[in-house]
Amino acid sequence: MLTIDGVALSFEAGQTLMEAATAAGVYLPHLCHHPEFKPHGSCKLCTVKVNGRFASACTLPAAEGQEVLSETLELRQLRVRITQMLFVEGNHFCPSCEQSGDCKLQATAYALGMLDSHFPHFFPARRVDASHPDILLDLDRCILCELCVRASRDMDGKSVFGIAGRGMESHLVVDAESGALVDTVIEVSDRAVKICPVGAILIKRTAYEKPIGQRLYDHHPIQAVLLQADQGGGSCDQ
Amino acid sequence: MADLVTNKILIATTSLAGCFGCHMSFLDIDERFFTLCEHVVFDRSPFTDIKHCGEHVDVGLIEGGLCNAENVATLREFRRHVKILVAVGACAINGGIPAMRNHIPLKECLEESYLQAIGIDSPQIPNDPELPLLLDRVRPIHEVVKVDYFLPGCPPSAEVFWTFLMDLLAARQPQLPEAQIHYD
Ligand code: SF4
Ligand code: SF4
Ligand code: FES
């Protein structure tokens, strides 16, 4: 047994804290975690306090007697700041983004009650790669969660994507001499194309099939959507 | 300080680098505007055509970010005279659509708009001393002055304005319900 915010729950050996929480119907905010992939532990949105210390729920193994805090004012404020950092270090102009309403970053920010960006915006110069006939890559919105990297490598068996550079210079690259997506072996049916939690990888000519205002998170809070999906009740990928 | 004669709350509004969409959305509160006007008086605003803020204004609603020197001067005037300054809409909060020019050098933006674009005759870059100077990058307003509250949305819905103003009139800390938080 362990407790989250004072509520006792049981877990199975080998589960992470995130998996134990999800199985018990407790939502912990997350962006880089996906139940079908090995944990990556990069976005830090799943930060909780375990026996008084900060830890990432998606990577920490669940253990007997853990006292976990999640819905505290301190953690909520930290998660808002982390989300704001993700917004200001990229170029997130939601009103002109094809993914708006279906975006997990945006929906997570809604759930956290984020009203502003707090920090000065970086407005970085990022690349848009429209070379592929069916797939658009807009790095303005990439949050470096590596879900596409993991999906392409572990599910599609292709390793089309990778991360290059360090720190502020980190950026998504594709496996082609030219650096252009069209010269990779990616196909529109690849899992990697549909896994992106934000609007960085998009399938061309499909963006406005569903009008803004009628999209998933326009009417369903992400807590409920992700709990159901992560418990195996269907996919909420694009 | 409320209006001394009527004891109503004074509100000022302006649009900086915005499209007036937020103001239009504000007007979408429709007939509730009459209820509102029982409690508030508009000071500087496109609604009144008053050009400068009165000495003491209770609430200032700012639509739009900062794209030129005049925007900055207007924002500073609001901050000087207004007790509660509110960033209204995506452009005030994060620069919005105008900030999509930020990764293009200003010179290139001007050349594209005034020299090279299709259908231009007598191409020239406007250079009248009356025109405010453009900033090299469009900025959200919290990067220049302290902002007290934020109403996200492009535009924020009429309900967002209503929730905020009703909370304010009831002297409650404004609190948007999750369902009213949208960035698009
Ligand atoms: S990726 Fe998400 S957060 Fe970023 S601009 Fe698009 S909708 Fe907004
Ligand atoms: S492109 Fe999307 S899936 Fe890939 S790292 Fe960036 S945000 Fe993650
Ligand atoms: S979900 Fe745990 S670090 Fe991203």
Side-chain angles (χ1 to χ4, degrees):
Chain A
M1 293 292 257
L2 55 83
T3 64
I4 299 185
D5 293 328
V7 180
L9 53 99
S10 53
F11 61 94
E12 289 163 25
Q15 274 184 327
T16 62
L17 209 45
M18 177 70 77
E19 286 164 342
T22 304
V26 177
Y27 165 77
L28 301 176
H30 57 276
L31 282 171
C32 70
H33 163 77
H34 190 293
E36 292 172 49
F37 299 92
K38 262 210 217 116
H40 188 245
S42 60
C43 75
K44 297 301 167 206
L45 262 174
C46 66
T47 300
V48 289
K49 245 183 180 174
V50 183
N51 300 337
R53 303 175 73 150
F54 291 116
S56 304
C58 70
T59 52
L60 191 77
E64 189 58 38
Q66 281 170 334
E67 286 176 22
V68 182
L69 294 179
S70 173
E71 287 301 319
T72 65
L73 186 63
E74 179 192 30
L75 283 164
R76 194 181 178 86
Q77 284 171 345
L78 278 175
R79 289 169 184 156
V80 171
R81 288 290 179 261
I82 289 168
T83 311
Q84 287 165 325
M85 286 193 253
L86 288 171
F87 270 81
V88 302
E89 75 173 22
N91 292 307
H92 294 274
F93 300 110
C94 299
S96 76
C97 177
E98 296 87 336
Q99 193 70 0
S100 196
D102 282 331
C103 169
K104 293 200 177 88
L105 173 62
Q106 186 190 59
T108 302
Y110 293 169
L112 291 168
M114 179 183 126
L115 300 182
D116 69 319
S117 18
H118 183 75
F119 299 104
H121 282 256
F122 291 14
F123 296 123
R126 300 254 187 102
R127 213 163 57 88
V128 176
D129 180 344
S131 63
H132 195 282
D134 300 316
I135 303 160
L136 180 79
L137 196 58
D138 186 344
L139 298 188
D140 285 322
R141 305 158 184 165
C142 175
I143 56 169
L144 300 170
C145 69
E146 288 202 25
L147 274 169
C148 60
V149 177
R150 287 177 274 168
S152 185
R153 183 189 60 217
D154 304 340
M155 287 193 171
D156 305 329
K158 293 184 178 178
S159 292
V160 166
F161 296 104
I163 305 286
R166 299 189 72 80
M168 273 304 296
E169 304 298 317
S170 306
H171 60 285
L172 192 73
V173 289
V174 300
D175 182 25
E177 196 86 35
S178 64
L181 197 61
V182 69
D183 295 325
T184 69
V185 291
I186 198 165
E187 286 163 288
V188 75
S189 55
D190 285 359
R191 190 68 203 280
V193 176
K194 300 210 175 70
I195 197 85
C196 182
V198 293
I201 304 177
L202 297 164
I203 301 177
K204 289 184 178 177
R205 295 174 298 279
T206 61
Y208 293 101
E209 274 171 1
K210 200 182 267 177
I212 283 181
Q214 295 177 20
R215 298 179 174 191
L216 185 57
Y217 303 114
D218 286 334
H219 302 288
H220 305 281
I222 192 164
Q223 301 92 310
V225 174
L226 283 194
L227 259 184
Q228 202 195 6
D230 292 355
Q231 286 175 335
S235 168
C236 60
D237 302 338
Q238 287 178 41
Chain B
M1 188 192 300
D3 183 278
L4 288 178
V5 183
T6 61
N7 205 26
K8 291 178 177 181
I9 284 178
L10 282 170
I11 297 186
T13 79
T14 193
S15 178
L16 306 176
C19 69
F20 274 98
C22 295
H23 275 80
M24 297 307 291
S25 187
F26 186 8
L27 293 177
D28 281 340
I29 63 172
D30 296 333
E31 69 278 8
R32 285 176 288 181
F33 214 84
F34 297 116
T35 316
L36 185 64
C37 287
E38 289 168 16
H39 305 284
V40 311
V41 171
F42 284 90
D43 189 78
R44 174 179 176 162
S45 168
F47 301 150
T48 57
D49 213 21
I50 296 173
K51 304 295 186 201
H52 287 286
C53 292
E55 196 52 39
H56 299 290
V57 177
D58 296 293
V59 183
L61 305 179
I62 308 274
E63 165 190 331
L66 305 161
C67 80
N68 64 36
E70 186 193 31
N71 293 156
V72 178
T74 304
L75 178 63
R76 292 218 159 104
E77 176 181 316
F78 265 72
R79 185 65 279 184
R80 272 198 307 278
H81 294 279
V82 154
K83 246 190 283 179
I84 301 170
L85 192 72
V86 186
V88 177
C91 303
I93 291 173
N94 59 37
I97 303 299
M100 293 179 82
R101 78 156 155 92
N102 281 355
H103 63 282
I104 304 168
L106 185 57
K107 187 159 176 283
E108 275 176 44
C109 289
L110 288 168
E111 285 171 357
E112 175 63 28
S113 304
Y114 293 104
L115 303 183
Q116 288 149 10
I118 297 166
I120 289 183
D121 54 48
S122 65
Q124 55 171 320
I125 291 177
N127 191 23
D128 191 290
E130 290 233 330
L131 291 175
L133 286 175
L134 292 178
L135 307 182
D136 66 336
R137 285 180 148 199
V138 178
R139 290 284 171 192
I141 67 170
H142 76 273
E143 294 188 17
V144 174
V145 297
K146 179 181 184 296
V147 178
D148 302 304
Y149 202 70
F150 301 84
L151 301 179
C154 184
S157 67
E159 297 316 308
V160 168
F161 284 97
W162 190 248
T163 304
F164 170 73
L165 290 167
M166 288 304 108
D167 279 349
L168 209 69
L169 289 178
R172 286 189 295 261
Q173 168 72 22
Q175 179 98 46
L176 293 184
E178 185 180 334
Q180 284 185 11
I181 302 177
H182 283 281
Y183 302 158
D184 55 12

